[in-house]
Amino acid sequence: MFKRFSQWFFGIDDAQKERNPIKEIHLEKGRIEIIVMPDLGYGKEYKITKWHVQPGQLIKTGDVVCDLENRTILMEFESIYGGRVLPIVQLDQKLKVGDAIFKIEGV
């Protein structure tokens, strides 16, 4: 099964996203937020199989940052903030719920 995080978490499909775009959430300049592995309810261990962004790249709310996978799912993980991406984990590194995935810095 392949879903985007917003489809799973918010129940939003692409058509709804176009009609009602997600509001951009900006961080204060220099503020850093750590994005952690959410509890998706599909098992305990996950891994990042693909980064869709480069370190230092500027992104906006709703941009796909990485692909998360476990034995049950493959999901695109979208950012809830706009800012500069600071990756933390390597590809195929095992992740548990609550582990840091990446940081995002307000610009």
Side-chain angles (χ1 to χ4, degrees):
M1 178 192 331
F2 185 78
K3 283 188 170 184
R4 286 192 171 177
F5 182 71
S6 62
Q7 288 173 315
W8 173 83
F9 190 76
F10 300 109
I12 298 172
D13 63 23
D14 288 336
Q16 289 172 315
K17 203 173 188 181
E18 288 179 20
R19 289 190 307 270
N20 301 307
I22 296 172
K23 183 178 178 184
E24 184 76 20
I25 302 172
H26 292 282
L27 295 173
E28 294 175 24
K29 185 176 183 177
R31 180 176 171 190
I32 295 176
E33 286 289 327
I34 299 172
I35 308 304
V36 298
M37 182 66 215
D39 184 355
L40 301 174
Y42 291 102
K44 295 182 180 180
E45 287 191 355
Y46 299 85
K47 63 182 177 179
I48 293 177
T49 56
K50 179 179 180 182
W51 283 104
H52 291 269
V53 297
Q54 299 296 316
Q57 182 175 335
L58 295 177
I59 62 170
K60 60 185 188 292
T61 301
D63 284 353
V64 175
V65 177
C66 61
D67 290 348
L68 294 172
E69 179 180 310
N70 72 4
R71 292 183 300 175
T72 310
I73 65 160
L74 171 61
M75 180 180 286
E76 290 180 329
F77 189 85
E78 300 173 27
S79 180
I80 59 171
Y81 297 111
R84 183 179 325 278
V85 175
L86 308 169
I88 294 177
V89 300
Q90 302 296 317
L91 289 179
D92 298 322
Q93 179 179 333
K94 290 182 181 179
L95 296 168
K96 295 179 293 204
V97 173
D99 286 350
I101 301 173
F102 63 96
K103 294 180 184 178
I104 189 155
E105 177 183 16
V107 291

